Amino acid sequence: MPTPVVLDCDPGHDDAIAILLAAGSPEIDLRAITTVAANQTLDKVTSNARRICSAAGISVPIARGSAQPLVRPLYVAEDIHGESGMDGPAFGALSVGVVQEHAIDVMHAHMPATLVATGALTNVALYLRRYGPSAVREIVLMGGSTERGNTTPYAEFNIYVDPEAAQIVFTSGVPITMIGLNVTHQALVTPEILAQLNALGSLGRICGELMTFFATTYREVFGFAAPPLHDPVAVARVIDPSLVTCVEAFVGIETTGTFTRGATVVDLHGRLGREPNALVAVGLDVDRFFGLVIDAVRRLT
Amino acid sequence: MPTPVVLDCDPGHDDAIAILLAAGSPEIDLRAITTVAANQTLDKVTSNARRICSAAGISVPIARGSAQPLVRPLYVAEDIHGESGMDGPAFGALSVGVVQEHAIDVMHAHMPATLVATGALTNVALYLRRYGPSAVREIVLMGGSTERGNTTPYAEFNIYVDPEAAQIVFTSGVPITMIGLNVTHQALVTPEILAQLNALGSLGRICGELMTFFATTYREVFGFAAPPLHDPVAVARVIDPSLVTCVEAFVGIETTGTFTRGATVVDLHGRLGREPNALVAVGLDVDRFFGLVIDAVRRLT
Amino acid sequence: MPTPVVLDCDPGHDDAIAILLAAGSPEIDLRAITTVAANQTLDKVTSNARRICSAAGISVPIARGSAQPLVRPLYVAEDIHGESGMDGPAFGALSVGVVQEHAIDVMHAHMPATLVATGALTNVALYLRRYGPSAVREIVLMGGSTERGNTTPYAEFNIYVDPEAAQIVFTSGVPITMIGLNVTHQALVTPEILAQLNALGSLGRICGELMTFFATTYREVFGFAAPPLHDPVAVARVIDPSLVTCVEAFVGIETTGTFTRGATVVDLHGRLGREPNALVAVGLDVDRFFGLVIDAVRRLT
Amino acid sequence: MPTPVVLDCDPGHDDAIAILLAAGSPEIDLRAITTVAANQTLDKVTSNARRICSAAGISVPIARGSAQPLVRPLYVAEDIHGESGMDGPAFGALSVGVVQEHAIDVMHAHMPATLVATGALTNVALYLRRYGPSAVREIVLMGGSTERGNTTPYAEFNIYVDPEAAQIVFTSGVPITMIGLNVTHQALVTPEILAQLNALGSLGRICGELMTFFATTYREVFGFAAPPLHDPVAVARVIDPSLVTCVEAFVGIETTGTFTRGATVVDLHGRLGREPNALVAVGLDVDRFFGLVIDAVRRLT
Ligand SMILES: [Ca+2]
Ligand SMILES: [Ca+2]
Ligand SMILES: [Ca+2]
Ligand SMILES: [Ca+2]
């Protein structure tokens, strides 16, 4: 039986591929997509969710969530994802709308389900505070890092944007799996992978164009030879947990530092004497991961 | 026309009097009471709201809200309000129930209204993040201080319990009136006031018993000669704004200090160069204030 | 026998009067003056120490100390003390020089003595770290407040400028007496006091001109009707402890807040459960205080 | 001409080897050794400096410095370095004493020189605040990391122990070279290296015993297969800069985080928009490094 999933995201190039992976994999029953401001404003990322769903013929409910982080002002990743939040391809007419209910109410209507979160954790935190931690089975999230970050030296973007929300999630007692940069930086879209995507027809070419744009910003900003496919790794973990090696660890969310706000402090060596509160990804079967992505896009074509 | 009010509270001795003042004043149309964990747990303060409403024959909807602060663990004021959160009187059978909807949804159902908040600001912050700042007309809150605090040297209890919620409220752009300890410490229930309450029949005697208990803890913990009636001052400000003198000021909420978390940093002399974000109470007409309280209890008797 | 004193200061209008009070009081054996950047740069405050000593015929060693706070950049009080740090009077030729040794070495050479500190605590902290806490008998300092501050809503200038130094001092175990704004704001130089100073000859007129300038900035910045004579209160406490009522309390120095750095968190009601680490001034005999000041200036005339 | 060096350290197993490397290399003129509390108390690390110098016949002045960090309490690394701070070998009688002057005065007496710091930066910071940043030519320090830490997930021990001192050093304007865990974790004392040390006579065997103890704690605490020789890499950088590849970067010292105090936030990708303030080691020629160490011990034998 497929795993029921609500996907909370901020498309975003890699979020778009995460949507395709979730919708195109028989192991997942994608029940709803909810949007959160992070890579770009709420209007833009919601529009992007509709664009990729329209292009792929995905018809699950899409619901708008938080337009800003819980406590602090919004910080967007225009340098990485462009002005639209999903620059690159030309998308056609929108065939998919948004529902009227708020993201957290839509999440609740589709429970029990696994919550996969690939943006800032604002909606997830609001959901936990409004409906309580028992109202979700588990949370698998892309965010954080056991090593360096990407937005500041020690903070990854999704956590940096809303550290207080991350604090709520990581202290909630809900089973958490954290997929951080330390593994997603292994999921590089090489020219070979790009060629495979481009060979999959019009949807594959849209994926190719997304990745081509993403490759440019990752090369310019970080000097990467190929762009990393962060968010789909969280979806892949739900499809097949054996793809992603995890360890139990305490993860502290830094909400107060001068230079470190948003850091995920993963206590791999038990130095802090705290109980583990998450499964933290430390390894990825890269080939099988990309196999899942290619298969999912092919199924949707 | 009376001012429509939703009262968000954590009864609480002084919250109980605030409820009576709101329900017993013709200038206010009390539409709903919502509860929030702070003085005691959510179960206890909700039960206390039902107890005082049952005793006074108040039949507005009562809705449960947040069982814990937004980001941090709950800290209760058992040393001040006792084990029940409203120790002192013996209350009779409960004649008032709670509605099933969550506090923030009940708030929304009764808008447009003035939101009077006399507990931690968790519900108010959740409301603002779920429904947006345009979904409330104004917020009048008891909390903070322009001088010293009461829970730590510079933090007042309501703000100390949930500083991140306070940060959300004070940066929301909604018109805020802050009634802090600097004025509520003038609203002292002297023996004369106590005698007037006790003379008002059974409801007055309940008020008297509440104040007698409150007097004991305030004397023991803070050395006060008479207990201060904090929360009703916020209600009084709505009944008659001229009772409370206010100044416009920037109020920064300290969310990160070692010894000062929860301080309301009120920039009375414009030292910080920030735009005002609140009306801050600096004076109280004490006699007229207690006149309103006595009249309200008399009307409910 | 007079109390041996080293006076560490940042003249400063009120520091100047503190120097005169120390040098002109038979109860004090003023052994050295050391300077620290705070009200103005080290060069300026050292020059000001030489100016007032030259004007008053005071010939104790003057030694330069720290040109900047321990950890953070220098913040000066030009809005209060003017461009020179001691604007107002025209001073004559300098008859007093500075010694070559560093302030902390000069302090040490004159121990055992009471260290009176009326500027940022940088030199005092360096002294404690270089020579150890047993190398000073006691420290009487002007700084902090039990109530509001003057540089930010909760931070007094001397502590605000170098909170880490203050943290070192207050956790050193050395007997500390803290004279804060809550008492120094009672030491107001009224027109009557000003007239008495002006009647004391040329040195008195210099004092009068200092206070006239100080009155202007205090009126403009804080709306005070008369300027407060902060620093001399610390000297007065050494001359006659009975002038200043003190209580034992824990004083936490806020070094990490967003809006509160430099606050002295004085736990008057024992809310924090910490051991007292200072005597904190809570009352002042204003008339006898000004009597001491007038007498000292007269003696130096 | 050899480079004049003052070595400020907290021996410490790897500090001991750093002393030998400095004293046994003709490219360095080791002028003095100063000690600082960190790996163990000041008494213990000073005793350890005397032990290794006595064993190796090194007769430079040894001076005691700070017994505790600048602002916070001392935290020692007994779990890594044992009760003595240099557990393992049996040392013979002490033939070397300590001078009476304080470390910072001894540093100053031997300037101009390169300051190599391999412990907490307390002495170095005090030196900069007492004598000014122009009183040292350059500082080469072992501390920090561009990646994970060793004391907490993001903080390396030397910086963790005294972050405020590190803040002073990194903002001083003095040329700084930072040798962090990211390179010192490459300097692993493999069984082959250990065998080479043990073959060098009695001093070599002392080195071997030091490394054997160090290997045990690094295996137990961190799961390392071989122990890293942190501190000597800083000395090696002075002997031959080409051994250590460095990049210019801004390094922020985290002094205020909840989980991250003491992190060195190295902005390798220029995300923070700050001017570089240090040369940061990113690569090490491991073979040539160990060649220097072996040669130095041989020379001292
Ligand atoms: Ca995303
Ligand atoms: Ca209340
Ligand atoms: Ca001063
Ligand atoms: Ca060391």
Side-chain angles (χ1 to χ4, degrees):
Chain A
M1 210 181 74
T3 304
V5 163
V6 173
L7 177 55
D8 187 65
C9 57
D10 62 333
H13 295 77
D14 50 334
D15 300 81
I17 310 292
I19 290 172
L20 299 181
L21 178 57
S25 296
E27 297 86 354
I28 284 183
D29 168 19
L30 181 62
R31 296 191 170 177
I33 293 169
T34 53
T35 57
V36 62
N39 280 334
Q40 262 296 1
T41 61
L42 183 64
D43 283 347
K44 290 182 179 180
V45 300
T46 306
S47 172
N48 292 340
R50 295 171 66 199
R51 289 159 84 195
I52 193 70
C53 285
S54 297
I58 300 169
S59 59
V60 302
I62 299 175
R64 293 163 56 92
S66 301
Q68 73 167 105
L70 219 52
V71 178
R72 64 188 60 213
L74 179 60
Y75 171 91
V76 299
E78 189 156 326
D79 57 340
I80 303 296
H81 293 278
E83 193 191 337
S84 74
M86 215 166 80
D87 279 10
F91 285 94
L94 295 179
S95 58
V96 180
V98 294
V99 301
Q100 286 310 301
E101 289 77 19
H102 189 278
I104 64 172
D105 300 326
V106 170
M107 285 178 182
H108 195 239
H110 292 285
M111 291 292 155
T114 292
L115 197 41
V116 176
T118 63
L121 292 165
T122 320
N123 289 344
V124 181
L126 270 185
Y127 178 77
L128 291 171
R129 280 292 172 266
R130 166 64 184 81
Y131 288 102
S134 63
V136 63
R137 183 184 281 181
E138 69 164 332
I139 297 167
V140 180
L141 64 92
M142 191 280 133
S145 177
T146 63
E147 313 290 326
R148 291 176 62 84
N150 56 5
T151 301
T152 67
Y154 284 135
E156 180 275 339
F157 179 75
N158 284 344
I159 309 298
Y160 178 82
V161 169
D162 198 342
E164 285 77 17
Q167 164 88 335
I168 290 172
V169 171
F170 278 87
T171 60
S172 66
V174 175
I176 307 290
T177 305
M178 168 184 139
I179 312 291
L181 297 178
N182 52 305
V183 294
T184 68
H185 279 177
Q186 301 171 33
L188 299 173
V189 181
T190 58
E192 294 71 36
I193 302 289
L194 191 60
Q196 289 183 55
L197 285 169
N198 279 326
L200 291 176
S202 65
L203 185 59
R205 279 192 300 276
I206 286 177
C207 295
E209 286 160 11
L210 285 169
M211 289 303 104
T212 299
F213 181 90
F214 212 39
T216 305
T217 57
Y218 258 83
R219 186 171 56 240
E220 287 171 359
V221 175
F222 298 111
F224 273 44
L229 214 47
H230 307 289
D231 294 343
V233 181
V235 176
R237 166 74 183 180
V238 177
I239 294 172
D240 181 355
S242 76
L243 276 175
V244 183
T245 311
C246 291
V247 296
E248 270 205 322
F250 170 74
V251 180
I253 303 296
E254 183 59 72
T255 58
T256 64
T258 305
F259 295 110
T260 53
R261 293 197 67 153
T264 48
V265 182
V266 183
D267 194 16
L268 294 176
H269 294 102
R271 302 291 292 171
L272 303 178
R274 307 281 288 257
E275 288 297 306
N277 60 353
L279 284 174
V280 177
V282 294
L284 174 67
D285 186 329
V286 177
D287 289 346
R288 286 171 57 212
F289 164 72
F290 278 112
L292 289 184
V293 172
I294 299 290
D295 287 351
V297 176
R298 183 181 295 120
R299 274 188 211 100
L300 292 167
T301 299
Chain B
M1 209 182 73
T3 304
V5 163
V6 174
L7 177 55
D8 187 66
C9 56
D10 62 334
H13 295 77
D14 51 332
D15 301 80
I17 310 294
I19 289 172
L20 299 181
L21 179 57
S25 296
E27 297 85 354
I28 285 184
D29 168 18
L30 180 62
R31 297 191 169 178
I33 293 169
T34 53
T35 58
V36 62
N39 279 335
Q40 263 295 1
T41 62
L42 184 62
D43 283 347
K44 291 183 179 179
V45 301
T46 306
S47 172
N48 291 340
R50 294 170 67 200
R51 289 160 84 195
I52 193 69
C53 284
S54 297
I58 299 169
S59 60
V60 302
I62 299 176
R64 293 163 57 91
S66 300
Q68 74 167 105
L70 218 52
V71 177
R72 64 187 63 215
L74 179 59
Y75 171 91
V76 299
E78 189 156 324
D79 57 340
I80 303 298
H81 294 278
E83 193 191 336
S84 73
M86 215 165 80
D87 278 11
F91 285 94
L94 295 179
S95 58
V96 179
V98 294
V99 300
Q100 286 310 304
E101 289 76 20
H102 188 278
I104 64 172
D105 299 327
V106 170
M107 284 176 182
H108 196 238
H110 292 285
M111 291 293 156
T114 291
L115 197 42
V116 176
T118 64
L121 292 166
T122 320
N123 289 344
V124 182
L126 271 184
Y127 179 78
L128 291 171
R129 280 293 172 265
R130 166 66 183 81
Y131 288 103
S134 63
V136 62
R137 185 185 281 182
E138 68 164 331
I139 298 168
V140 179
L141 62 94
M142 191 277 134
S145 177
T146 63
E147 312 290 327
R148 292 178 61 84
N150 56 5
T151 301
T152 66
Y154 283 136
E156 180 276 338
F157 179 76
N158 285 344
I159 309 298
Y160 178 82
V161 170
D162 198 342
E164 285 78 16
Q167 164 88 336
I168 289 172
V169 171
F170 278 87
T171 60
S172 67
V174 174
I176 307 290
T177 304
M178 169 184 139
I179 313 291
L181 297 178
N182 52 304
V183 293
T184 68
H185 278 178
Q186 301 171 34
L188 298 174
V189 180
T190 58
E192 295 70 37
I193 303 288
L194 189 60
Q196 291 183 54
L197 285 169
N198 279 328
L200 292 175
S202 65
L203 184 61
R205 281 192 300 275
I206 286 177
C207 295
E209 286 159 12
L210 285 169
M211 288 304 102
T212 300
F213 181 91
F214 212 39
T216 306
T217 57
Y218 258 83
R219 185 171 54 240
E220 288 172 358
V221 176
F222 297 111
F224 272 45
L229 213 48
H230 306 290
D231 294 344
V233 181
V235 176
R237 165 74 182 180
V238 177
I239 294 171
D240 180 354
S242 76
L243 277 175
V244 183
T245 311
C246 292
V247 296
E248 269 205 323
F250 170 74
V251 180
I253 304 295
E254 184 57 73
T255 59
T256 66
T258 303
F259 296 109
T260 54
R261 294 195 67 151
T264 47
V265 182
V266 182
D267 193 16
L268 294 175
H269 293 102
R271 301 293 291 172
L272 304 178
R274 307 279 289 256
E275 287 298 307
N277 60 353
L279 283 174
V280 177
V282 294
L284 173 67
D285 186 329
V286 176
D287 290 344
R288 285 173 58 212
F289 164 71
F290 277 112
L292 289 184
V293 172
I294 299 292
D295 287 350
V297 176
R298 182 180 296 120
R299 275 188 212 101
L300 292 167
T301 299
Chain C
M1 208 181 76
T3 304
V5 163
V6 175
L7 177 55
D8 187 66
C9 56
D10 62 333
H13 294 76
D14 50 334
D15 300 80
I17 309 292
I19 290 172
L20 299 181
L21 178 58
S25 295
E27 298 85 352
I28 284 183
D29 168 18
L30 181 62
R31 297 191 169 178
I33 294 168
T34 53
T35 57
V36 62
N39 279 335
Q40 262 296 0
T41 62
L42 184 64
D43 283 347
K44 290 183 179 179
V45 299
T46 306
S47 172
N48 291 340
R50 295 171 65 199
R51 290 159 84 195
I52 192 70
C53 286
S54 297
I58 300 169
S59 61
V60 303
I62 300 175
R64 293 163 56 91
S66 301
Q68 72 167 107
L70 219 52
V71 178
R72 63 188 60 215
L74 179 59
Y75 171 92
V76 300
E78 189 155 326
D79 55 341
I80 303 297
H81 293 278
E83 192 189 337
S84 74
M86 215 166 80
D87 278 11
F91 285 93
L94 295 179
S95 58
V96 180
V98 294
V99 301
Q100 287 309 303
E101 290 76 19
H102 190 277
I104 66 172
D105 300 328
V106 170
M107 284 177 183
H108 195 239
H110 291 285
M111 291 293 155
T114 292
L115 196 42
V116 176
T118 63
L121 292 166
T122 320
N123 289 344
V124 181
L126 270 183
Y127 178 78
L128 291 171
R129 280 293 173 265
R130 166 64 183 83
Y131 288 103
S134 63
V136 63
R137 182 185 284 183
E138 69 163 332
I139 298 167
V140 179
L141 64 93
M142 190 280 134
S145 177
T146 63
E147 312 289 327
R148 291 177 62 86
N150 56 5
T151 301
T152 66
Y154 284 135
E156 180 276 337
F157 179 75
N158 285 344
I159 309 297
Y160 179 82
V161 169
D162 198 342
E164 285 78 16
Q167 163 89 336
I168 289 171
V169 171
F170 278 87
T171 60
S172 67
V174 174
I176 307 289
T177 304
M178 168 183 139
I179 312 291
L181 297 179
N182 52 304
V183 293
T184 67
H185 279 177
Q186 301 170 34
L188 299 174
V189 181
T190 58
E192 294 69 38
I193 303 289
L194 190 61
Q196 290 183 54
L197 285 169
N198 278 328
L200 292 176
S202 66
L203 184 60
R205 280 192 301 276
I206 287 177
C207 295
E209 287 160 9
L210 285 169
M211 288 304 103
T212 300
F213 181 90
F214 213 38
T216 306
T217 58
Y218 259 83
R219 186 170 55 239
E220 288 171 358
V221 176
F222 297 110
F224 272 44
L229 214 47
H230 307 289
D231 293 344
V233 181
V235 176
R237 165 76 183 178
V238 177
I239 294 171
D240 181 354
S242 76
L243 276 175
V244 183
T245 311
C246 291
V247 295
E248 268 204 322
F250 170 74
V251 180
I253 304 296
E254 183 58 72
T255 58
T256 66
T258 304
F259 295 109
T260 53
R261 294 196 67 152
T264 48
V265 181
V266 183
D267 194 15
L268 293 176
H269 293 101
R271 303 293 292 172
L272 303 178
R274 307 279 290 257
E275 287 299 306
N277 60 353
L279 284 174
V280 177
V282 294
L284 174 67
D285 186 329
V286 176
D287 289 345
R288 286 173 55 212
F289 164 73
F290 277 111
L292 290 184
V293 172
I294 299 290
D295 286 351
V297 176
R298 181 181 295 120
R299 275 189 211 98
L300 292 167
T301 299
Chain D
M1 208 180 74
T3 305
V5 163
V6 174
L7 177 55
D8 186 66
C9 56
D10 61 336
H13 294 78
D14 51 333
D15 300 79
I17 310 292
I19 290 172
L20 300 181
L21 178 58
S25 295
E27 298 86 351
I28 284 183
D29 168 18
L30 181 62
R31 297 192 169 177
I33 293 169
T34 53
T35 57
V36 63
N39 279 335
Q40 263 296 3
T41 61
L42 184 64
D43 283 346
K44 290 183 180 181
V45 300
T46 306
S47 172
N48 291 340
R50 296 171 64 200
R51 290 158 84 195
I52 193 70
C53 284
S54 297
I58 300 169
S59 60
V60 302
I62 299 175
R64 294 163 57 90
S66 301
Q68 72 166 105
L70 218 51
V71 178
R72 62 187 64 215
L74 180 59
Y75 170 92
V76 300
E78 189 156 324
D79 57 339
I80 303 297
H81 293 279
E83 192 190 338
S84 73
M86 214 166 80
D87 278 11
F91 285 94
L94 295 179
S95 59
V96 180
V98 294
V99 301
Q100 287 310 302
E101 290 77 19
H102 188 278
I104 65 171
D105 299 328
V106 171
M107 285 177 182
H108 195 239
H110 292 284
M111 291 294 156
T114 292
L115 196 42
V116 176
T118 65
L121 292 166
T122 321
N123 288 345
V124 181
L126 270 184
Y127 178 78
L128 291 171
R129 279 293 172 266
R130 166 64 183 82
Y131 288 103
S134 63
V136 61
R137 184 185 281 181
E138 68 163 332
I139 297 167
V140 180
L141 64 94
M142 191 278 134
S145 176
T146 63
E147 313 288 329
R148 290 177 63 86
N150 56 5
T151 301
T152 65
Y154 284 135
E156 182 275 337
F157 179 76
N158 284 345
I159 309 297
Y160 179 83
V161 170
D162 198 342
E164 284 78 16
Q167 164 88 336
I168 290 172
V169 171
F170 278 86
T171 59
S172 67
V174 175
I176 308 289
T177 305
M178 168 184 139
I179 313 289
L181 298 178
N182 52 303
V183 294
T184 68
H185 278 178
Q186 301 171 34
L188 299 174
V189 181
T190 59
E192 294 70 37
I193 303 289
L194 190 61
Q196 290 184 54
L197 285 168
N198 278 326
L200 291 176
S202 65
L203 185 59
R205 280 192 300 275
I206 286 176
C207 294
E209 286 159 9
L210 285 169
M211 289 303 105
T212 300
F213 180 90
F214 212 39
T216 305
T217 57
Y218 258 83
R219 187 171 53 240
E220 288 171 358
V221 176
F222 297 112
F224 272 44
L229 214 46
H230 306 289
D231 293 344
V233 180
V235 177
R237 166 74 183 181
V238 177
I239 295 171
D240 181 355
S242 76
L243 277 174
V244 183
T245 311
C246 291
V247 296
E248 268 204 324
F250 170 74
V251 181
I253 304 296
E254 184 58 71
T255 59
T256 65
T258 304
F259 296 109
T260 54
R261 292 197 67 151
T264 47
V265 181
V266 183
D267 194 15
L268 295 176
H269 294 102
R271 302 291 292 172
L272 304 177
R274 307 280 288 256
E275 286 299 305
N277 60 353
L279 284 174
V280 177
V282 294
L284 174 66
D285 186 329
V286 177
D287 289 345
R288 286 173 56 211
F289 165 71
F290 277 112
L292 289 184
V293 172
I294 298 291
D295 286 352
V297 176
R298 182 181 294 121
R299 274 187 211 100
L300 292 167
T301 300

